[in-house]
Amino acid sequence: MLTDGPRQDAYHRAIVGNPELFAGKTVLDVGAGTGILSIFCAQAGARKVYAVEASSLARLAREVIKENNFQDVVEVSECRVEDFRLPSEEDRVDIIVSEWMGFFLLHEGMLDSVLVARDRFLKPNGLMFPDTATIYLAPCSVPSRFDRWNNVSGVRMQHFGRALRHQGSDKPEVLNVAPEHLLHEGHVVTWLDLKEVTADELDAFEAREVLVAQRTGKLQGICIWFDCTFPVGEQECRMPTDIVLSTNPAAPETHWKQTVIPLPEGACEDIEQRDPIAFELKMTRNKESNRRYDLQLTLLDAEKEEHSLPCECQMTKCILMKAHLEKMQVDV
């Protein structure tokens, strides 16, 4: 986190920038790492911060917290949050902060542990930082994967590139996707209210969609990213505005980048603006490790799938249906 400017800035603005939410409050920092979020909370005026870190980083966190003179506010516990206990069984905290997100939000993340902390320790009207999360997807081009081997210092290496793609064809890739390589602005796979969502509801997500291409390009994969939002207070000097940590391709780069499911060589095709792209994406917990998720992408026949109404694609049935709906509105 220390070298990831966008995510550190988002947490700093959400915590230190909202002192009215933290002043005099008790906070639980889940997966505290080096303790920087705990220090942010202390800087914002928290009365007590419980920093829980399962790894040996907890010992370093104690030194960092002492270095910043917050050892009387921040108490570090070296344990899993599942094993953590507050001083009294009746105690509850006002706020939970955590940087729990993994690749495409959930893969190798620690949201389950945060939900355990929420259910055991958070007051009924307590706050979560972040408090919502959204997963998006969009069809995309991936020229860095498919086109880079067309010319390597004047040498064509297409067979080598094809062999590399075949070797990794069953694995999603974490990389930066340029915003101009998205063929669609992004479709919401799921939106999570972190005050309400349960661990069981995180077991599987599914999107079966027909998206209309918003620009011309080569369909070479499906790009997945996420946004998280934070609570905001109402200071007299400003109107509350959303604080968002975004991994959108158009946002500043984070260590999460984007996750791309590349298409098989034979499935890539040239796409024109307003072409329909039909697919099904399944995101399910790995049976052997509940912090890992498996992705399964299936391309579908856009002519056989049901389109949303009105649909902006250039298929004849959708053009006729759109014209019919517009005529009905005029008649009314």
Side-chain angles (χ1 to χ4, degrees), residues 25-321:
K25 300 297 177 64
T26 56
V27 181
L28 175 61
D29 181 359
V30 180
T34 59
I36 190 168
L37 295 188
S38 295
I39 292 172
F40 286 170
C41 295
Q43 290 175 335
R47 177 179 61 82
K48 184 69 176 181
V49 181
Y50 298 99
V52 180
E53 171 56 46
S55 76
S56 59
L57 271 177
R59 301 161 209 173
L60 177 61
R62 290 191 184 97
E63 296 303 319
V64 173
I65 289 161
K66 184 177 180 181
E67 180 181 358
N68 287 270
N69 298 314
F70 285 117
Q71 62 272 25
D72 293 335
V73 177
V74 182
E75 178 182 322
V76 180
S77 296
E78 185 177 344
C79 66
R80 300 186 316 143
V81 75
E82 290 84 354
D83 301 322
F84 175 72
R85 295 292 181 270
L86 288 168
S88 168
E89 291 293 331
E90 290 76 29
D91 284 346
R92 293 289 184 270
V93 297
D94 300 292
I95 299 171
I96 290 178
V97 301
S98 182
E99 196 279 270
W100 53 263
M101 296 80 80
F103 297 104
F104 57 88
L105 188 70
L106 298 174
H107 184 68
E108 297 182 347
M110 48 178 283
L111 181 53
D112 283 358
S113 294
V114 174
L115 299 187
V116 168
R118 178 200 67 189
D119 295 342
R120 290 183 183 176
F121 305 122
L122 188 64
K123 292 179 180 178
N125 296 319
L127 299 178
M128 303 277 289
F129 280 70
D131 60 352
T132 75
T134 309
I135 301 176
Y136 300 86
L137 61 75
C140 67
S141 301
V142 199
S144 63
R145 189 178 194 273
F146 286 87
D147 303 339
R148 63 183 298 184
W149 305 110
N150 293 345
N151 187 328
V152 181
S153 299
V155 178
R156 296 176 63 83
M157 300 285 289
Q158 291 181 332
H159 283 82
F160 177 70
R162 191 172 296 117
L164 282 180
R165 290 192 291 274
H166 178 73
Q167 186 179 36
S169 61
D170 61 341
K171 298 178 182 178
E173 296 187 21
V174 176
L175 47 80
N176 286 312
V177 176
E180 62 268 23
H181 292 153
L182 294 182
L183 303 178
H184 187 275
E185 64 187 355
H187 171 78
V188 174
V189 177
T190 188
W191 176 83
L192 303 177
D193 180 349
L194 301 177
K195 285 290 297 295
E196 302 293 338
V197 69
T198 66
D200 288 344
E201 291 171 332
L202 302 176
D203 286 344
F205 301 95
E206 182 175 328
R208 188 183 183 102
E209 299 295 335
V210 178
L211 299 183
V212 180
Q214 295 171 329
R215 58 163 53 99
T216 298
K218 188 86 169 180
L219 175 61
Q220 295 172 322
I222 298 294
C223 177
I224 309 173
W225 68 91
F226 67 87
D227 289 354
C228 291
T229 66
F230 297 83
V232 291
E234 296 185 13
Q235 295 183 1
E236 294 181 1
C237 61
R238 63 168 171 82
M239 292 294 290
T241 57
D242 288 340
I243 298 174
V244 181
L245 172 56
S246 178
T247 63
N248 186 302
E253 179 185 340
T254 70
H255 89 287
W256 291 288
K257 302 179 182 180
Q258 291 83 43
T259 298
V260 173
I261 306 174
L263 298 185
E265 199 87 23
C268 299
E269 58 177 321
D270 292 320
I271 296 293
E272 298 293 330
Q273 189 174 6
R274 295 181 61 207
D275 277 352
I277 303 171
F279 60 89
E280 181 181 64
L281 174 67
K282 294 182 179 179
M283 183 185 302
T284 55
R285 282 193 199 266
N286 183 282
K287 294 181 179 179
E288 297 178 359
S289 173
N290 66 353
R291 288 194 173 182
R292 300 177 65 86
Y293 280 75
D294 299 322
L295 299 175
Q296 179 180 343
L297 176 68
T298 305
L299 295 180
L300 305 173
D301 187 341
E303 292 189 0
K304 296 179 180 179
E305 293 298 309
E306 183 176 345
H307 295 212
S308 60
L309 295 176
C311 179
E312 299 293 332
C313 86
Q314 57 188 6
M315 291 180 63
T316 301
K317 66 177 183 179
C318 291
I319 294 173
L320 294 175
M321 179 59 72

